[in-house]
Amino acid sequence: MGKIVAIVGRPNVGKSTLFNRLIEERKAIVDDTSGVTRDRHYGVSEWGGREFVVVDTGGYVAHSSDFFETAIRKQVEIAMAEADLLLFMVDVAIGVTDEDEAFARVLRKSGKPVLVVANKVDNNERIPAASVFWKFGFDELFTLSSLSGFGTGELMDKIIELLQPDEEPEELELPKIAIIGRPNVGKSTLTNTLVGAERNIVSDIPGTTRDSIHTRYNKFGKEFLLIDTAGIRKKGKVTEDIEFYSVMRAVRALEECDVCMLVIDAKDGMEAQDVNIFNLADKRHKGIVILVNKWDLVEKDSKTAEVFKKEIEEKIAPFKDVPILFVSALEKTRIHKALEIALEVYENRKRHIPTHKVNEVMLAAIEAFNPPSVKGKYIKIKYVTQLPTHTPQFAFFANHPQYIKDPYKRYLENKLRENFNFSGVPVGIFFRKK
């Protein structure tokens, strides 16, 4: 199962910059809900052939004198509950602050491994100034510059060393299907409808560990495990912390599942947070089915579903080959159809195309539309094979692989999807020197 690393710390210590460096992208994924003043970042980092999910818990803006006992504590407890490793970020230019000490006290109680990361160490001369942070009492202290990258290699080596893969328990090879989504989109109702029993799991945030429930289920003559993350009830107004908590749970469920059923609310449409979760599922090569729930509450004409589907596809582009179903968990409409489709996506994810077949189809597609020449060099793709990976990934062998651009890569992916059923499954395409 994949691992989760959370970056925590007070505002303006460089958490988002480190996040962008770890995932090697210059983009913050922002939750545009009104009133939310902090970014929410989720991404995938790779180092030494190992991958892990990185979560940036965002900065904090004090609105009350009781701020550190409430907002920070809640967010850090959420991160502690779901993450396997915590990066506690501090600023060497400012030194130890009261806020840092408040954080350190909460982190020490967590029992989770903590690496203290002293940021803004741009050269060796600034390293001695970081020794003040040993006072927190943690075993590891790293000095780096998240802006320039100075010192990040040593941190990544340590992260990989600490994130040893779990020993896989002996269990039947059953499809694992997770129901994920934002709060109050109907995950609990959907789970109860599928399981056929009222079984809401109510869980307070503090002390919550990985309590997603795996229900063994038999349907359509197939057994599978349903990963239930609907572990939270609406209590009064949904707070930012609950929103953050629910996304952390979705991230954890993604790591455990083969296929995720992403539930969205028909009244709200596909929101920024839904797109974040979708993109993470795509990057983690998980099967995806989108369920538009509460469809019974929407006023419809003959074109409503078509327009709604097109809007979703625009938001999830370029990966649009995803089943989208309009359901009502409450009215029990198309729920079992959704399960059938999820199991089909599971089979698509395991699909392996014989080499002779993939060459026969793809070399003809390449012949019909060759890669554009670059700098006077003609690109020839001679051979294609599916790699022996858990999810569909293909290697195309070419004379100048470095000159093949994204639009042509998308053309090849579309041709693969036209000829072989990979609906709901991310497909990896790699170009190699022949």
Side-chain angles (χ1 to χ4, degrees):
M1 190 172 72
K3 301 287 187 171
I4 298 177
V5 175
I7 306 172
V8 297
R10 60 181 177 77
N12 305 316
V13 289
K15 294 188 299 299
S16 295
T17 313
L18 178 63
F19 170 85
N20 284 333
R21 182 160 292 282
L22 293 186
I23 67 164
E24 298 181 310
E25 288 182 30
R26 300 296 290 166
K27 71 173 188 200
I29 303 167
V30 181
D31 179 348
D32 60 2
T33 311
S34 63
V36 176
T37 55
R38 60 197 82 156
D39 290 352
R40 291 282 178 257
H41 306 206
Y42 315 93
V44 178
S45 183
E46 190 269 334
W47 187 260
R50 295 269 304 283
E51 285 188 339
F52 55 91
V53 171
V54 189
V55 179
D56 177 0
T57 57
Y60 306 91
V61 181
H63 291 300
S64 75
S65 58
D66 197 29
F67 175 68
F68 286 105
E69 289 304 306
T70 53
I72 289 187
R73 190 174 201 85
K74 279 184 189 171
Q75 294 244 339
V76 175
E77 280 172 345
I78 294 164
M80 289 187 311
E82 298 303 322
D84 299 285
L85 175 64
L86 300 163
L87 304 184
F88 175 26
M89 221 166 165
V90 288
D91 182 344
V92 77
I94 291 174
V96 177
T97 68
D98 292 346
E99 295 98 315
D100 292 328
E101 292 193 338
F103 250 115
R105 283 194 293 275
V106 178
L107 292 172
R108 274 197 299 273
K109 290 176 186 171
S110 74
K112 291 281 173 90
V114 175
L115 302 181
V116 180
V117 179
N119 190 27
K120 304 185 186 175
V121 179
D122 301 302
N123 52 53
N124 288 324
E125 284 73 54
R126 298 191 84 168
I127 290 174
S131 60
V132 67
F133 298 115
W134 285 112
K135 73 175 288 186
F136 296 139
F138 295 110
D139 294 337
E140 302 280 356
L141 171 64
F142 289 84
T143 54
L144 55 79
S145 165
S146 55
L147 199 59
S148 71
F150 178 82
T152 48
E154 290 85 349
L155 175 65
M156 291 292 269
D157 288 341
K158 189 66 184 179
I159 291 171
I160 294 302
E161 180 192 323
L162 291 174
L163 295 183
Q164 291 303 322
D166 296 332
E167 283 190 28
E168 291 295 322
E170 291 275 329
E171 61 176 44
L172 291 172
E173 190 52 48
L174 293 175
K176 297 183 187 72
I177 299 173
I179 298 171
I180 61 177
R182 293 178 299 104
N184 306 306
V185 292
K187 298 189 297 295
S188 299
T189 313
L190 178 60
T191 302
N192 293 334
T193 302
L194 289 173
V195 174
E198 280 296 324
R199 220 198 59 193
N200 277 323
I201 308 127
V202 180
S203 154
D204 290 319
I205 292 168
T208 301
T209 50
R210 297 172 210 169
D211 55 359
S212 57
I213 300 242
H214 292 50
T215 305
R216 196 154 165 180
Y217 194 67
N218 201 316
K219 192 74 194 166
F220 313 115
K222 292 194 178 189
E223 277 192 298
F224 59 92
L225 291 175
L226 193 65
I227 300 174
D228 176 3
T229 61
I232 202 150
R233 284 257 200 178
K234 184 175 180 180
K235 293 180 182 172
K237 188 167 178 256
V238 172
T239 67
E240 241 182 290
D241 298 303
I242 290 178
E243 181 80 20
F244 176 52
Y245 173 75
S246 92
V247 176
M248 285 294 287
R249 300 313 307 278
V251 171
R252 171 63 65 191
L254 273 178
E255 292 302 297
E256 294 185 38
C257 75
D258 301 305
V259 178
C260 66
M261 296 202 282
L262 174 56
V263 185
I264 68 173
D265 190 319
K267 300 193 300 297
D268 302 332
M270 188 97 173
E271 294 198 337
Q273 201 66 278
D274 302 317
V275 177
N276 294 350
I277 297 170
F278 178 90
N279 288 338
L280 196 55
D282 180 7
K283 283 185 180 174
R284 300 303 278 146
H285 315 294
K286 303 297 183 177
I288 308 170
V289 179
I290 295 174
L291 303 185
V292 183
N293 190 29
K294 308 182 188 177
W295 193 240
D296 52 313
L297 304 180
V298 173
E299 284 188 34
K300 296 177 277 290
D301 60 31
S302 59
K303 292 185 178 173
T304 310
E306 194 181 317
V307 170
F308 206 102
K309 187 176 177 185
K310 198 161 281 184
E311 284 174 3
I312 292 174
E313 287 176 344
E314 281 171 11
K315 288 182 178 177
I316 63 176
F319 175 29
K320 297 192 289 189
D321 185 14
V322 177
I324 299 170
L325 281 86
F326 298 89
V327 304
S328 168
L330 204 58
E331 301 287 329
K332 301 185 180 178
T333 47
R334 288 184 287 283
I335 296 303
H336 290 157
K337 180 68 177 172
L339 217 40
E340 271 183 59
I341 298 290
L343 290 169
E344 281 174 23
V345 168
Y346 174 77
E347 294 301 327
N348 295 347
R349 192 169 177 257
K350 293 197 306 179
R351 179 161 286 115
H352 192 89
I353 312 299
T355 301
H356 72 89
K357 185 72 181 166
V358 77
N359 275 280
E360 180 187 311
V361 168
M362 294 310 294
L363 293 181
I366 291 161
E367 189 68 33
F369 176 45
N370 279 298
S373 61
V374 177
K375 299 177 183 173
K377 295 186 187 296
Y378 289 96
I379 299 163
K380 295 281 181 201
I381 298 174
K382 293 289 188 187
Y383 180 72
V384 192
T385 187
Q386 185 170 353
L387 299 171
T389 49
H390 291 304
T391 58
Q393 304 196 37
F394 294 84
F396 288 74
F397 292 86
N399 56 347
H400 299 295
Q402 70 275 25
Y403 292 133
I404 302 173
K405 301 286 188 272
D406 278 349
Y408 194 76
K409 184 177 173 181
R410 280 197 289 275
Y411 166 75
L412 294 176
E413 183 182 332
N414 289 338
K415 287 295 170 188
L416 279 167
R417 291 184 182 281
E418 279 172 28
N419 289 280
F420 309 107
N421 186 1
F422 290 118
S423 175
V425 182
V427 171
I429 289 179
F430 303 93
F431 300 105
R432 292 181 177 171
K433 187 86 175 163
K434 66 177 182 182

